[in-house]
């Protein structure tokens, strides 16, 4: 519970003492303290919030401007942010616009909508490509920190691998709310370390903080893991897909999303299917065989499933992608596919954590041979053409254009209640979000100008 947010939302509607009494009751739901102490704590929060609100009475108009948020009046959940669908993709493109002015020296940056970014650096008169990526723990794995740590580490390493880089370092950032048991930190770290040892990539740095400091009650656990990779070759970003290429897919058994689906729907045995490092091993096989430089594009099937990835690749490159449904289904681990079909979850709309390769036909045999060395299944699932659209050729002979849902396929009961359909006012929401993004860019530019002029 965010007690600062609780106060900010109610401070104009209640008398000081009444608000303190209401908040004190909430505080005692989480903390074993006396009524007197809970009231004092509540009053301290109200006093701090009241002090910050006085900023609006300040004569410093510029400070008031940069300290206030130009609200979009569109909520995260309403826009589907983090739900890997059309709304989420739109917001990510706005984030890319905000940071675009910083990308003059980058080779791959957020404008490409890839999960990893790449810069080039001189080392001993040679050029080395450095890839970085960061991923957050799946929100529904807060109660299962070891699994959360394991899967978020796999995720960030995947994001480095698909840029054609060999991972060399892992970083961990842990946030546990005030009432969380310290053991959660250790369990999470052990999950990260398990993957680190399995793939022989060291954990080199990190940070440990409380969620919201004293202002958030409960034991919610959130975190992120980052990774760094290096390569002697240019990145295999999505934009490299070329007409005539073959699309290959490794077998996917899922990660954080599939684990969450299994846990919250009672398919507990499926959790073990997800506990592997096949993706990193398949990528390493390509490095060993010196094939990465010849692959045109690599990506992991995560953001909104194959539907989302296919749409983003086609949208970024302008090429067409033709997929074969039968071959795709064969590349979903049997237990995972059975669970998804039993729960009526679209396998193409959820993260399966497969490695998708787009490569010229002449090296397809070499790719299959290299990956097979690590007992990772891989198959051809489609081709790149000049249609400009991602098309799925279905098993019944019909075809379907692959477009991302507003949210990724609903894989828990609460997600099914929220739904996947696009809101009727989505276009209006996009306009509001665009306006807020533009305002943030203007604020950034104004602050930079102010700092430079007042050196």
């Amino acid at each position: 519970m965010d007690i600062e947010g609780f106060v900010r939302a109610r401070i104009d509607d209640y008398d000081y003492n009444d608000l303190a009494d209401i908040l004190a009751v909430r505080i005692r739901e989480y903390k074993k303290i006396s009524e007197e102490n809970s009231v004092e704590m509540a009053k301290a929060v109200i006093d701090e919030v009241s002090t910050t609100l006085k900023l609006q009475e300040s004569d410093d108009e510029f400070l008031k401007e940069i300290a206030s948020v130009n609200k979009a009046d569109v909520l995260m959940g309403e826009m589907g942010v983090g739900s890997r669908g059309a709304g989420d993709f739109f917001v990510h493109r706005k984030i890319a616009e905000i940071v675009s002015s910083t990308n003059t020296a980058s080779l791959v940056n957020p404008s490409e909508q890839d999960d990893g970014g790449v810069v080039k650096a001189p080392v001993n008169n040679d050029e080395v490509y450095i890839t970085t990526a960061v991923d957050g723990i799946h929100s529904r794995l807060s109660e299962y920190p070891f699994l959360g740590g394991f899967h978020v580490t796999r995720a960030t390493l995947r994001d480095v691998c698909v840029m054609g880089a060999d991972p060399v370092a892992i970083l961990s950032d842990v946030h546990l709310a005030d009432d969380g048991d310290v053991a959660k930190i250790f369990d999470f770290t052990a999950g990260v370390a398990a993957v680190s040892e399995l793939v022989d990539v060291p954990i080199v740095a990190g940070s440990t903080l409380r969620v919201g400091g004293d202002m958030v009650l409960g034991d919610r656990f959130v975190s992120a893991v980052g990774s760094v990779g290096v390569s002697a070759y240019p990145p295999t970003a999505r934009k490299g897909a070329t007409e005539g290429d073959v699309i290959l897919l490794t077998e996917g058994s899922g990660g954080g999303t599939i684990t969450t689906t299994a846990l919250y729907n009672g398919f507990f045995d499926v959790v073990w299917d997800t506990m592997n490092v096949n993706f990193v091993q398949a990528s390493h096989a390509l490095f060993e065989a010196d094939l990465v430089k010849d692959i045109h594009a690599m990506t992991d099937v995560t953001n909104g499933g194959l539907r989302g990835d296919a749409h983003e690749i086609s949208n970024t490159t302008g090429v067409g992608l033709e997929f074969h449904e039968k071959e795709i289904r064969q590349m979903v681990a049997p237990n995972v596919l059975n669970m998804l079909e039993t729960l009526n979850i679209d396998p193409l709309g959820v993260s399966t954590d497969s490695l998708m390769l787009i490569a010229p036909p002449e090296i397809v045999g070499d790719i299959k041979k290299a990956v097979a060395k690590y007992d990772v299944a891989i198959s051809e699932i489609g081709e790149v053409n000049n249609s400009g659209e991602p098309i799925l050729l279905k098993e019944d002979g019909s075809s379907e254009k692959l477009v991302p849902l507003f949210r990724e396929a609903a894989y828990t009961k609460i997600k099914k209640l929220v739904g996947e359909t696009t809101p009727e006012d989505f276009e209006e929401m996009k306009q509001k979000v665009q306006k807020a993004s533009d305002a943030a860019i203007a604020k950034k530019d104004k602050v930079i100008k102010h700092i430079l002029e007042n050196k």
Side-chain angles (χ1 to χ4, degrees):
M1 176 186 174
D2 181 352
I3 56 178
E4 181 177 2
F6 183 91
V7 169
R8 288 184 181 276
R10 295 164 177 80
I11 197 166
D12 293 329
D13 300 326
Y14 289 89
D15 171 82
Y16 180 89
N17 289 321
D18 289 342
L19 181 56
D21 289 339
I22 294 170
L23 180 56
V25 172
R26 296 295 182 90
I27 290 172
R28 291 198 299 276
E29 292 175 0
Y30 290 89
K31 296 188 176 294
K32 296 179 180 180
I33 59 177
S34 67
E35 180 177 352
E36 180 182 359
N37 285 345
S38 67
V39 172
E40 289 302 311
M41 185 176 178
K43 288 181 177 179
V45 177
I46 297 170
D47 290 343
E48 291 183 2
V49 170
S50 298
T51 299
T52 63
L53 293 176
K54 293 177 182 177
L55 176 61
Q56 298 307 314
E57 303 169 8
S58 168
D59 294 330
D60 191 333
E61 296 297 328
F62 191 22
L63 179 59
K64 287 194 291 185
E65 179 184 349
I66 64 173
S68 61
V69 177
N70 295 293
K71 292 188 175 181
D73 291 324
V74 178
L75 305 182
M76 288 281 283
E78 293 174 337
M79 196 67 186
V81 180
S83 295
R84 302 308 186 228
D88 184 53
F89 296 154
F90 181 81
V91 170
H92 275 83
R93 284 192 287 272
K94 298 307 105 181
I95 294 173
E97 290 176 7
I98 295 172
V99 304
S100 62
S101 59
T102 74
N103 292 328
T104 55
S106 62
L107 296 177
V108 178
N109 55 64
S111 65
E112 274 95 39
Q113 298 295 289
D114 273 297
D115 291 327
V118 184
V119 295
K120 187 165 57 175
V123 178
N124 296 328
N125 297 320
D126 290 325
E127 290 181 334
V128 173
Y129 297 90
I130 301 173
T131 299
T132 59
V134 62
D135 281 271
I137 185 177
H138 195 291
S139 59
R140 297 302 301 277
L141 294 180
S142 175
E143 292 299 317
Y144 309 95
F146 184 93
L147 294 174
F150 189 93
H151 286 302
V152 73
T153 306
R154 290 171 72 233
T156 188
L157 291 172
R158 286 198 312 269
D159 291 342
V160 164
C161 288
V162 298
M163 289 290 102
D166 204 5
V168 295
I170 296 171
L171 305 89
S172 175
D173 182 33
V174 180
H175 293 248
L176 178 60
D178 198 58
D179 303 298
D181 192 299
V182 172
K184 277 193 169 184
I185 296 173
F186 302 147
D187 248 36
F188 172 81
T189 303
V192 177
V195 175
S196 170
E197 291 185 35
L198 285 168
V199 299
D200 195 26
V201 178
I203 302 169
V204 297
S207 172
T208 304
L209 295 169
R210 286 180 297 159
V211 175
D214 299 313
M215 292 297 179
V216 174
L217 307 178
D219 63 349
R220 176 60 65 177
F221 183 87
V222 295
S223 65
V225 174
S227 58
V228 180
V230 296
S231 172
Y233 305 113
T236 51
R238 292 172 175 174
K239 61 185 178 182
T242 304
E243 181 183 354
D245 282 347
V246 174
I247 307 173
L248 300 102
L249 194 70
T250 63
E251 182 179 77
S253 54
T257 296
I258 295 299
T259 296
T260 297
T261 305
L263 289 172
Y264 287 93
N265 288 283
F267 287 76
F268 304 129
D269 59 318
V270 175
V271 172
W272 286 112
D273 285 82
T274 71
M275 303 290 284
N276 61 70
V277 290
N278 291 351
F279 193 107
V280 179
Q281 289 177 328
S283 300
H284 186 66
L286 300 175
F287 300 139
E288 283 185 331
D290 197 28
L291 290 168
V292 172
K293 67 181 186 304
D294 300 315
I295 295 172
H296 289 167
M298 295 170 63
T299 189
D300 53 342
V301 180
T302 52
N303 298 336
L306 188 62
R307 290 182 180 277
D309 285 314
H311 176 268
E312 288 300 304
I313 293 172
S314 183
N315 188 55
T316 300
T317 63
V319 300
L321 304 170
E322 189 173 85
F323 297 95
H324 304 282
E325 183 181 34
K326 181 179 180 181
E327 282 72 16
I328 293 172
R329 289 169 55 82
Q330 291 175 345
M331 285 297 102
V332 181
N335 284 348
V336 174
L337 182 61
N338 175 67
M339 178 184 71
L340 295 177
E341 292 185 331
T342 301
L343 297 172
N344 195 28
I345 298 170
D346 178 13
L348 274 69
V350 70
S351 302
T352 58
D353 294 42
S354 299
L355 170 62
M356 186 162 71
L357 305 169
I358 300 178
E362 56 267 23
I363 66 167
V364 167
D366 293 332
I367 291 174
K368 290 180 178 180
K369 182 178 179 181
V371 171
K373 285 178 59 178
Y374 286 87
D375 294 323
V376 178
I378 186 170
S379 178
E380 298 175 36
I381 63 161
E383 306 82 30
V384 179
N385 57 37
N386 62 0
S387 68
E389 294 182 332
I391 300 295
L392 176 69
L393 302 179
K394 305 181 77 171
E395 291 188 73
D396 62 7
S398 63
S399 63
E400 170 194 347
K401 181 179 177 180
L402 290 175
V403 294
L405 304 171
F406 183 70
R407 293 181 175 87
E408 64 185 328
Y411 51 87
T412 62
K413 289 183 179 180
I414 189 67
K415 285 185 177 291
K416 288 182 182 295
L417 289 172
V418 172
E420 306 162 352
T421 56
T422 303
E424 293 182 359
D425 59 346
F426 184 40
E427 291 303 318
E428 181 182 345
M429 291 165 61
K430 286 164 63 176
Q431 291 175 9
K432 290 180 178 179
V433 170
Q434 179 68 63
K435 185 177 180 181
S437 173
D438 292 341
I441 293 172
K443 181 184 292 187
K444 168 185 67 77
D445 293 341
K446 192 171 182 178
V447 168
I448 292 172
K449 181 180 179 182
H450 175 80
I451 292 173
L452 293 176
E453 290 178 346
N454 291 273
K455 276 188 174 181

